Amino acid sequence: DHAKPECLKDDQKHTPKTTEDCEDCTATNIEDIRTVHFTLCQKPWVCSNWKTNDLCQNMKERWFRMRRDWEMENLVDWKPPEGKLKPEIFHGYCKHENKKGYLPIDMTKLKP
């Protein structure tokens, strides 16, 4: 079942193809997912705020949380980002919707 080892969305309307052999991927617990394709949920760095489904939102939130945790550990003088777009999902890394709203990692602040 592709929903478990690799959670893929099945079509652009976010309606999963459900058969006897394939469960509804959107109902998969995020803790059971090992890898993610953001293609239909939209890449996190696009700062897409359109409502898809809870699994897409949870995957984006997890991605931004992992980025924040990495930055806190690996950047000198880390400060919380100040983006205002849905901070509960984007953790301050999106100022507004679209790629131009994304706040990239400041690689000049990497710890030696």
Side-chain angles (χ1 to χ4, degrees), residues 3 7 15 18 26 36-37 42 45 62 64 74 80 93 106 111:
C7 189
T15 305
T18 305
T26 62
V36 172
H37 284 271
Q42 298 300 305
W45 49 91
R62 178 71 59 96
F64 280 103
N74 293 287
Y93 292 105
D106 184 350
K111 289 180 181 176

Side-chain angles (χ1 to χ4, degrees), residues 64 67-83 90-93 103-106 109-111:
F64 280 103
R67 176 189 163 175
R68 181 201 61 208
D69 293 348
W70 183 89
E71 284 189 6
M72 289 172 71
E73 187 174 324
N74 293 287
L75 298 183
V76 175
D77 297 325
W78 181 85
K79 292 181 181 119
E82 298 180 6
F90 300 111
H91 290 271
Y93 292 105
L103 298 170
I105 295 172
D106 184 350
K109 293 187 176 186
L110 274 177
K111 289 180 181 176

Side-chain angles (χ1 to χ4, degrees), residues 48-100:
S48 173
N49 189 29
W50 56 280
K51 178 68 174 152
T52 50
N53 58 55
D54 290 341
L55 182 59
C56 282
Q57 300 292 64
N58 288 338
M59 291 187 303
K60 287 180 188 178
E61 187 281 327
R62 178 71 59 96
W63 190 91
F64 280 103
R65 186 168 11 121
M66 290 171 66
R67 176 189 163 175
R68 181 201 61 208
D69 293 348
W70 183 89
E71 284 189 6
M72 289 172 71
E73 187 174 324
N74 293 287
L75 298 183
V76 175
D77 297 325
W78 181 85
K79 292 181 181 119
E82 298 180 6
K84 303 294 184 207
L85 181 67
K86 288 202 171 180
E88 69 279 6
I89 294 171
F90 300 111
H91 290 271
Y93 292 105
C94 292
K95 296 182 288 187
H96 51 79
E97 282 193 80
N98 73 37
K99 289 180 187 177
K100 292 181 181 178

Side-chain angles (χ1 to χ4, degrees), residues 17-35:
K17 295 174 183 173
T18 305
T19 67
E20 295 173 14
D21 299 326
C22 181
E23 67 186 64
D24 178 351
C25 291
T26 62
T28 303
N29 182 318
I30 194 165
E31 299 302 325
D32 294 333
I33 297 171
R34 295 186 197 104
T35 63

